[in-house]
Amino acid sequence: MQGWNQAIELIEQDLTQEIEVRVLAKAALTSEYHFRRMFSSLAGIPLSEYIRRRRLTAATAELLEGLTVLDVAVRYGYGSAEAFNRAFKSMHGLSPAEARLPGAVLHSQPQLRFHLRVEGNTDMKHRMEDKAAFRLIGLKARVPLVHEGPNNAIIELQRGLDPSVTKRLLELADMEPSGPLSVTDNIEEERTEGSELDYWHAVASTKPVPEGFESVEVPAGLWVVFEAEGKFPDVLQGMWADAATEWFPANPYRWVPGPEMLSVQVEPGGTHGRGQLWIPVEREDLR
């Protein structure tokens, strides 16, 4: 927590200057990729959005103290007064001129503080897997990210699959995780709602890629595998949230780029079942 709060202090040192994520990640003793991922999960807001809102909060105070819109826009890195006006209105719902009127209601982004909170009420069933290189074979589509509730784009993709496609894929599956997989990859780092990702209907395999299918080579590496069962899709979406907010902060590993694989066994009726979530990780260097 000390490292994460130090990163927040680095942001606050001068909100008018460009902020380098690598410097923040170094303060938190982690990688840029992991820092962005964990910041979004822990803070509930993407890093870029937090910085934007902190800058606008500071800029608003200076505007109300009498600085001109152009002066504030230039000071906080906006290309023009018009660009600043648009950003200002998106946060406050008012123009800078309206914000100066008596009784104007404005918004602000408080400075974050990370604190250790003892919970541990979620039983995180998991295991570590040191896995050899393999390939994913299947069909891929670009879809929006949905944090809670059904992802209609994925549902429509699955409904449109010919059963013979899944049958052919299963004939190629020859390693763990077994069976048909739902795979997400190339996710925008900050994982905002509606951002895009690659979704795969695939299997893990060492076999050649048949015509009509796509593939991606996955290098050898370390994986954490979470297991859960319960109501769909809540229990599956909850695995990602629990991994980010409970497991990673408590364990010496960090999230690394790579496909995240979900293996699902659905009970009759389709509302309950079991799932395994595979996330690529590396051990943190805590020196």
Side-chain angles (χ1 to χ4, degrees), residues 15-209:
L15 289 167
T16 66
Q17 296 298 312
E18 189 67 27
I19 296 166
E20 296 187 44
V21 180
R22 65 173 182 81
V23 175
L24 305 181
K26 184 178 180 180
L29 303 177
T30 190
S31 68
E32 291 184 43
Y33 184 89
H34 187 73
F35 185 82
R36 288 182 185 274
R37 286 285 178 90
M38 294 303 297
F39 188 97
S40 296
S41 298
L42 294 172
I45 182 174
L47 175 62
S48 60
E49 178 65 11
Y50 171 75
I51 294 173
R52 186 186 75 85
R53 292 179 66 86
R54 282 297 299 144
R55 280 177 168 159
L56 277 169
T57 297
T60 300
E62 294 187 11
L63 190 72
L64 296 179
E65 288 172 1
L67 268 68
T68 68
V69 171
L70 182 59
D71 286 342
V72 173
V74 171
R75 179 167 160 75
Y76 285 89
Y78 288 89
S80 65
E82 290 74 17
F84 176 78
N85 283 338
R86 288 194 297 271
F88 189 95
K89 193 163 187 176
S90 72
M91 179 171 175
H92 297 293
L94 302 170
S95 69
E98 292 170 328
R100 288 189 171 117
L101 297 175
V105 177
L106 302 173
H107 300 272
S108 66
Q109 173 62 59
Q111 181 180 341
L112 284 177
R113 285 284 185 274
F114 292 101
H115 300 281
L116 178 63
R117 184 174 63 182
V118 179
E119 287 187 346
N121 60 338
T122 302
D123 182 12
M124 298 291 292
K125 294 181 181 178
H126 73 279
R127 69 179 190 274
M128 306 305 299
E129 289 277 350
D130 198 353
K131 191 169 177 56
F134 65 99
R135 69 174 51 97
L136 290 168
I137 302 175
L139 301 174
K140 179 181 70 172
R142 197 74 175 157
V143 302
L145 175 63
V146 176
H147 289 297
E148 295 183 5
N151 188 315
N152 292 325
I154 292 178
I155 291 172
E156 289 302 314
L157 177 65
Q158 294 283 7
R159 284 176 178 169
L161 290 173
D162 189 316
S164 64
V165 171
T166 298
K167 182 179 178 182
R168 287 174 63 198
L169 279 177
L170 290 177
E171 293 170 354
L172 301 172
D174 61 359
M175 63 188 310
E176 287 289 327
S178 60
L181 305 174
S182 297
V183 182
T184 54
D185 198 8
N186 293 323
I187 310 172
E188 294 178 15
E189 285 185 356
E190 294 178 348
R191 296 193 173 207
T192 54
E193 183 85 8
S195 60
E196 292 192 331
L197 57 91
D198 287 343
Y199 173 81
W200 290 78
H201 177 69
V203 295
S205 178
T206 59
K207 297 180 180 179
V209 184

